[in-house]
Amino acid sequence: MKLSGAKALLMLPALLLLVAVFLYPLLRYGWLSGHASSVLTGLRPVPNGGANWQRLIEDVRFWKDAGQTLRFAFCSVALELAGGLGVALLLHQPLRGRGTLRALTLLPWALPTTVMALGWRWILNDPHGPLNAALRSLGAPSYGFLTTPATTWFFAVLADVWKTMPFVALLLLAGLQSIPADLEETLRLEGASRIQILRRLTLPLLVPYLSLALLFRLAQALGVFDLIQVLTGGGPGGSTESLSLYAYLNAMRFLDFGYAATVMLATFLLLAVLLGVGWLLLRRARIARTTGGPA
Amino acid sequence: MTITAPGLELRQLSRELEGRRLLDGLDLQVAPGECVALLGPSGCGKSTTLRLVAGLDPASEGNVLLDGEDLTLREPGERQVAMVFQSYALYPHLSVQGNLELGLKVRGVPAAERRQRIDAILDLLQLGSLRHRRPAQLSGGQRQRVALARALLRQPRIVLLDEPMSNLDAQLREELRPELRRLLCGGEQPVIYVTHDQQEATGMADRIALLEGGRLQQVGTPRELYENPANRFVASFLGRPAINLLPMAHRRQLGLRPEHLILGEEGPLAARLLRREWWGHQQLLWLESDQGPLRLLTSAAAAMPPQPRLSWQRRHELWFDADSGARLAP
Ligand SMILES: Nc1ncnc2c1ncn2[C@@H]1O[C@H](COP(=O)(O)OP(=O)(O)OP(=O)(O)O)[C@@H](O)[C@H]1O
Ligand SMILES: [Mg+2]
């Protein structure tokens, strides 16, 4: 594509914005990660060679958080895709009041994460939350849902799935609606069952939408911050701490800006590699969506 | 229950949706190997009829019978119906071969037999070289043939075609007609061929069923419909250029086809030439008469008399009730 002067000029604002909010911070982190900049240096950046990166490689907490972040992202995204597909298939059926149902489904997605996370924290509160009240009314003792690592992790995933499944469902619903009805009808005339139609026709045609949802959600889940910060604060015992939260703590609590930049950049690189691979897969999955009609 | 002839029979077939009659009491018989063209203007219920026969939509009244067996409540997959959609409905993610194979796979046909049947049909339709192409990589005509191949592969008991050529250009349509007839008609299965092109209907079908507003207007051979139309709608829908309708006394209309008007120096109607259209060996004359505008089709060589008058043969007169459009005895 050739850019004429006018076109280039029109693209300039977008380009400037991209540089300002994306490229500049990235370069700045890169630069900062080569410096010590903490209370020890009076918050002034002092070059320290590769010391930050050396520290990162040896930082057990970083690698543990990386593992936790990946586990969180993969589990919640997998559940969201499966659940979102189910919901989308349901909403695609010609049901009475389908429009209302679709709007209702979007509700959790519309809620700000912080509000949603506070809500979950209240539900899980020990001993005052409704879940513990329900347990007690059944004669069981209260349970520290957010003080036990396993249940805390479980509910963090659940809250994330609850909030973002509507988004996935909506995206997949758009995909379902893009499939012409006569394809399914042709296959039905061959005597195909619902399962066969789903497996042989619907899912293959949904692959581009599934990959898109996967990519979007993976990018968000790998950078998870607000949900964890509000719901668990990374606890108990750092068992739900994510990389973003760790970077944030380094900067805002430990005031170690040089190392925080290093963690941030490493997180970004990790994300970029994963998403790059995902994007390549997505490109391969692209299908020319022609069913017939004029050439 | 009355004894039924072999073939497809539609009895009082109706579909009502949201209080609207999309199809109203259609009675139609299609013999084995016969091709009936379902003809009519856009929105008259042609696709609706096919969907009812295929079982894709439920009938609100009436029955679909095949060789006397009632299919009305059968699932589409159990009817052994092959349908070619207007859009062709090719699976976009599969190659030509994959498109042909999927239906066989779904029905559990073993791999060796699948291969053999697909090879045979690809041969028959000369599609062998396109085997590994995706639908997006085919021309309109090629897509149509793949859709046709897929339908024939089904070894159907009924073949339904919904405007299978509407996406093709006029020349290709004309070229493909004999091939389509050879492949589809004269076999065992009854064929319903939907079109809104009367020339295609005449060329493809043994009989034409003309539909309007969800009601069957007339069914018969193209010639029957042309020579002996049941009402004004049939008379005006068939025949191009369209029939002239002259207002007459006693709320009657006289229908005269443009090709039946005779241009000369005598006759009951005086006319004045407005415009000529050249059609190669013929010419279409747009005339103004005392009874309103008229179209006249005549040989290109015919000369224009100085005081032109129009005449016709009594046997070509078609009389209609001006209000209801019903056919009247002369
Ligand atoms: N799902 C539907 N809901 C309501 N009305 C419908 C529906 N499908 C079709 N109709 C109506 O039924 C009538 C017949 O439609 P149909 O598709 O059978 O027409 P057709 O003869 O095939 O026309 P065309 O030549 O344009 O394909 C039309 O008036 C159409 O508006
Ligand atoms: Mg139609």
Side-chain angles (χ1 to χ4, degrees):
Chain A
M1 188 175 68
K2 247 190 191 157
L3 278 183
S4 68
K7 269 191 200 160
L9 204 67
L10 284 173
M11 280 175 66
L12 202 62
L15 220 60
L16 282 177
L17 202 69
L18 212 66
V19 168
V21 302
F22 192 71
L23 199 60
Y24 172 72
L26 215 60
L27 292 174
R28 172 87 187 149
Y29 288 151
W31 178 81
L32 206 56
S33 74
H35 293 71
S37 169
S38 66
V39 270
L40 295 177
T41 66
L43 297 184
R44 248 193 312 271
V46 177
N48 68 350
N52 283 331
W53 290 97
Q54 183 65 37
R55 180 176 157 199
L56 184 87
I57 288 166
E58 289 162 8
D59 186 350
V60 177
R61 185 162 172 186
F62 172 81
W63 293 109
K64 182 169 156 272
D65 285 358
Q68 282 170 185
T69 308
L70 285 178
R71 194 179 55 171
F72 171 84
F74 284 128
C75 287
S76 43
V77 171
L79 287 174
E80 282 156 25
L81 284 187
L85 180 64
V87 172
L89 286 170
L90 202 72
L91 289 179
H92 191 51
Q93 302 302 314
L95 303 170
R96 203 170 273 278
R98 184 165 66 169
T100 325
L101 214 60
R102 284 180 184 171
L104 279 178
T105 316
L106 258 187
L107 226 52
W109 170 252
L111 219 56
T113 311
T114 317
V115 175
M116 183 274 293
L118 279 172
W120 279 96
R121 216 168 90 174
W122 170 70
I123 291 172
L124 300 172
N125 185 278
D126 174 23
H128 303 296
L131 198 58
N132 270 317
L135 272 184
R136 279 197 306 277
S137 74
L138 292 173
S142 292
Y143 190 81
F145 292 109
L146 292 178
T147 48
T148 315
T151 51
T152 308
W153 182 80
F154 172 81
F155 280 108
V157 170
L158 185 72
D160 194 53
V161 169
W162 183 77
K163 171 158 170 65
T164 48
M165 203 167 71
F167 167 77
V168 176
L170 206 72
L171 205 113
L172 296 183
L173 184 62
L176 286 175
Q177 284 171 337
S178 79
I179 302 176
D182 49 17
L183 294 184
E184 188 187 317
E185 287 169 349
T186 304
L187 206 50
R188 258 176 76 197
L189 284 172
E190 301 277 9
S193 65
R194 276 168 165 259
I195 301 287
Q196 282 175 319
I197 292 173
L198 185 70
R199 197 167 87 80
R200 302 280 190 177
L201 185 73
T202 315
L203 283 182
L205 289 178
L206 269 189
V207 165
Y209 293 83
L210 284 165
S211 333
L212 198 68
L214 180 77
L215 223 58
F216 264 54
R217 283 299 309 135
L218 214 53
Q220 283 182 324
L222 286 170
V224 66
F225 174 77
D226 41 5
L227 170 71
I228 300 291
Q229 167 75 339
V230 176
L231 184 66
T232 73
S239 64
T240 57
E241 189 168 282
S242 69
L243 284 175
S244 298
L245 187 57
Y246 185 45
Y248 168 82
L249 290 178
N250 270 302
M252 305 319 268
R253 186 166 307 164
F254 314 144
L255 298 178
D256 190 345
F257 296 106
Y259 191 56
T262 314
V263 172
M264 211 91 88
L265 201 61
T267 306
F268 171 78
L269 290 177
L270 187 78
L271 218 138
V273 168
L274 274 172
L275 293 185
V277 170
W279 187 72
L280 282 179
L281 291 177
L282 178 79
R283 261 173 55 118
R284 285 198 42 194
R286 197 174 295 161
I287 295 171
R289 307 181 68 83
T290 310
T291 62
Chain B
M1 194 160 154
T2 46
I3 295 181
T4 46
L8 178 67
E9 185 180 350
L10 313 183
R11 270 197 206 149
Q12 282 298 304
L13 199 61
S14 306
R15 175 154 165 84
E16 200 174 305
L17 203 69
E18 292 150 9
R20 275 185 60 210
R21 289 288 248 200
L22 305 187
L23 191 67
D24 197 0
L26 174 64
D27 281 312
L28 185 65
Q29 270 144 34
V30 189
E34 188 187 21
C35 178
V36 168
L38 210 52
L39 181 66
S42 192
C44 70
K46 305 183 294 289
S47 299
T48 303
T49 307
L50 288 200
R51 295 178 62 83
L52 292 180
V53 175
L56 293 173
D57 289 328
S60 39
E61 274 164 55
N63 301 78
V64 177
L65 296 106
L66 182 63
D67 299 334
E69 179 190 354
D70 194 342
L71 300 183
T72 318
L73 297 176
R74 292 277 184 82
E75 284 294 309
E78 297 171 5
R79 297 191 184 200
Q80 285 178 267
V81 168
M83 183 156 168
V84 175
F85 287 84
Q86 202 165 345
S87 62
Y88 305 148
L90 299 178
Y91 310 123
H93 58 302
L94 298 175
S95 64
V96 168
Q97 172 164 329
N99 263 275
L100 298 178
E101 196 162 24
L102 186 51
L104 297 178
K105 265 189 192 161
V106 158
R107 274 179 283 135
V109 176
E113 190 190 335
R114 287 205 302 259
R115 185 100 203 160
Q116 193 190 342
R117 277 167 70 177
I118 289 170
D119 286 349
I121 204 87
L122 286 175
D123 256 11
L124 184 68
L125 285 168
Q126 293 154 23
L127 286 168
S129 59
L130 305 176
R131 178 172 211 133
H132 299 294
R133 296 229 195 134
R134 291 272 180 88
Q137 301 163 320
L138 300 174
S139 75
Q142 290 166 338
R143 286 174 197 166
Q144 191 253 12
R145 289 148 77 90
V146 175
L148 198 64
R150 193 176 60 181
L152 294 174
L153 200 61
R154 174 99 176 76
Q155 296 181 335
R157 291 174 71 194
I158 307 170
V159 178
L160 306 173
L161 301 127
D162 197 349
E163 309 201 25
M165 304 220 263
S166 62
N167 283 321
L168 307 180
D169 64 61
Q171 194 181 346
L172 194 56
R173 260 197 298 230
E174 213 171 292
E175 278 172 28
L176 285 177
R177 234 186 274 152
E179 187 188 350
L180 214 55
R181 252 204 82 90
R182 175 175 62 85
L183 289 169
L184 290 175
C185 310
E188 302 280 287
Q189 333 91 343
V191 178
I192 300 185
Y193 187 100
V194 162
T195 174
H196 58 237
D197 177 349
Q198 55 159 310
Q199 210 183 341
E200 204 173 296
T202 315
M204 280 296 300
D206 305 306
R207 286 188 304 148
I208 295 177
L210 188 56
L211 220 57
E212 147 78 350
R215 285 169 183 273
L216 183 65
Q217 303 297 315
Q218 192 174 1
V219 56
T221 62
R223 186 165 182 174
E224 279 164 10
L225 264 61
Y226 173 82
E227 289 181 347
N228 200 6
N231 57 38
R232 188 173 53 202
F233 175 80
V234 178
S236 0
F237 197 86
L238 265 92
R240 281 290 169 273
I243 194 167
N244 296 298
L245 291 165
L246 308 179
M248 302 305 252
H250 312 297
R251 306 214 54 75
R252 300 203 306 170
Q253 276 178 316
L254 173 59
L256 288 168
R257 296 200 182 272
E259 55 274 34
H260 292 152
L261 286 174
I262 302 160
L263 189 65
E265 301 189 328
E266 282 164 41
L269 269 181
R272 187 168 62 84
L273 182 70
L274 295 179
R275 200 158 62 84
R276 263 171 210 254
E277 263 178 49
W278 290 94
W279 286 20
H281 65 295
Q282 284 182 312
Q283 57 179 332
L284 177 65
L285 305 179
W286 296 78
L287 305 166
E288 182 66 39
S289 77
D290 314 335
Q291 305 286 339
L294 287 174
R295 290 170 300 274
L296 186 152
L297 195 62
T298 181
S299 115
M304 199 67 194
Q307 298 284 314
R309 295 193 73 84
L310 304 176
S311 58
W312 56 88
Q313 296 181 7
R314 278 298 296 274
R315 65 187 173 95
H316 286 146
E317 288 180 359
L318 296 168
W319 291 89
F320 303 102
D321 185 306
D323 301 314
S324 69
R327 178 85 182 273
L328 302 172

